[in-house]
Amino acid sequence: MIHVENLTKRYGGRGGVAGLHLSVAAGEIVGLVGANGAGKSTTLRTLLGLLRPDEGAIYLGAERLAPDHKAARAQVGYVPEMPELYSDLSAWEHLRFLGMIYGLDEGATAARAEALLRRLELWERRDEDPLSYSKGMRQRLSVACALLHDPKVLLADEPWSGLDPLASFLLKEMFQELKERGKALLISTHMLDTAERLCDRFVLLAEGTVAAQGTLDAIRETAGVRPDATLEEAFVTILRRRRQGVH
């Protein structure tokens, strides 16, 4: 569904990501994991077209995207780490406004918005200012905004950061449902225990490059850890070896 070859994005010659290769198939959840500053957010924002890559190619299906690929946003949903919401619009108005931006029929927008708000347990508070919501509620509304146009690909940046157990569970449940509907999900997170339970494959970033990728078993093999080691244990082993100059 989405495929990246040799993606490079630098800031003033340093930072960002370099030589990144990854893919996410339809009906698959891939976890993009790494420490703070590893390049996770840069990767997602470049895939979305918010940042222009210095090198590399991004494909959505069979189509190679232009560097400023704004057209791809019609097929991609994005959940930022910090929900980007307006104080002068209610949750319901946010979704109606987005429906106009995406050129959706008003009736279809209303039906889709209601279904999402009910599913994410926000329907009863749809007319409130979302800035009065809890962090978890704002994050759930951000997911509803990302899914309103029924995208083929969902990019989520640290979606569980700071959430209470209910909000965290609802998001994991929703992501699993999207996978079952054939969507491709790339989820950036440093919460490795959550990623281990939810994701089919992983891309481990360290200092802007891929340290390892594949299934959990493949990550364990790369790390040289025991067969029942957690993703966290495997990742820490790989990261320590890299810092010691051992590959």
Side-chain angles (χ1 to χ4, degrees):
M1 182 67 71
I2 191 165
H3 178 68
V4 177
E5 295 181 355
N6 196 39
L7 183 69
T8 298
K9 174 62 184 177
R10 292 293 191 190
Y11 301 100
R14 56 189 300 178
V17 295
L20 181 65
H21 294 263
L22 67 82
S23 63
V24 188
E28 183 180 42
I29 302 177
V30 173
L32 186 65
V33 301
N36 292 336
K40 303 188 302 295
S41 295
T42 296
T43 298
L44 294 185
R45 292 172 65 84
T46 305
L47 294 182
L48 189 65
L50 298 176
L51 297 175
R52 188 183 182 95
D54 297 320
E55 298 177 31
I58 301 170
Y59 295 86
L60 188 59
E63 178 186 3
R64 179 171 178 172
L65 303 178
D68 59 352
H69 50 280
K70 295 179 182 178
R73 296 179 197 175
Q75 301 183 65
V76 178
Y78 176 54
V79 181
E81 181 176 4
M82 297 299 295
E84 298 172 354
L85 304 170
Y86 301 101
S87 61
D88 54 346
L89 295 179
S90 68
W92 182 251
E93 289 168 337
H94 269 87
L95 294 172
R96 292 189 63 188
F97 175 65
L98 285 173
M100 289 188 291
I101 291 176
Y102 285 116
L104 302 179
D105 174 83
E106 186 173 348
T109 296
R112 178 88 177 142
E114 179 175 348
L116 286 166
L117 290 175
R118 288 188 182 278
R119 177 66 189 83
L120 291 165
E121 300 187 8
L122 294 171
W123 178 250
E124 300 300 327
R125 297 183 64 177
R126 64 190 180 278
D127 294 323
E128 297 179 22
D129 181 345
L131 296 190
S132 70
Y133 286 177
S134 67
K135 170 68 187 298
M137 293 175 66
R138 292 196 301 273
Q139 192 71 310
R140 280 181 269 155
L141 178 57
S142 185
V143 171
C145 291
L147 297 176
L148 181 69
H149 59 302
D150 196 26
K152 296 179 180 179
V153 177
L154 180 68
L155 308 177
D157 193 359
E158 301 288 356
W160 297 289
S161 179
L163 297 192
D164 60 54
L166 173 60
S168 178
F169 179 82
L170 282 173
L171 289 194
K172 286 183 284 189
E173 194 174 52
M174 174 65 85
F175 292 159
Q176 184 64 36
E177 291 172 5
L178 292 169
K179 169 189 169 178
E180 292 170 0
R181 290 178 51 209
K183 306 299 184 182
L185 291 83
L186 180 62
I187 301 177
S188 158
T189 183
H190 63 272
M191 300 179 66
L192 302 187
D193 55 341
T194 298
E196 181 175 340
R197 291 192 297 270
L198 184 68
C199 299
D200 301 295
R201 292 189 297 110
F202 309 91
V203 177
L204 276 55
L205 290 184
E207 298 177 345
T209 62
V210 175
Q213 64 177 305
T215 63
L216 179 54
D217 284 341
I219 299 294
R220 289 167 173 156
E221 184 176 351
T222 299
V225 294
R226 66 184 192 280
D228 64 342
T230 65
L231 177 64
E232 180 181 44
E233 290 170 329
F235 175 70
V236 169
T237 298
I238 291 170
L239 191 61
R240 284 174 173 169
R241 286 178 178 171
R242 286 178 62 92
R243 289 177 175 174
Q244 295 168 1
V246 179
H247 297 280

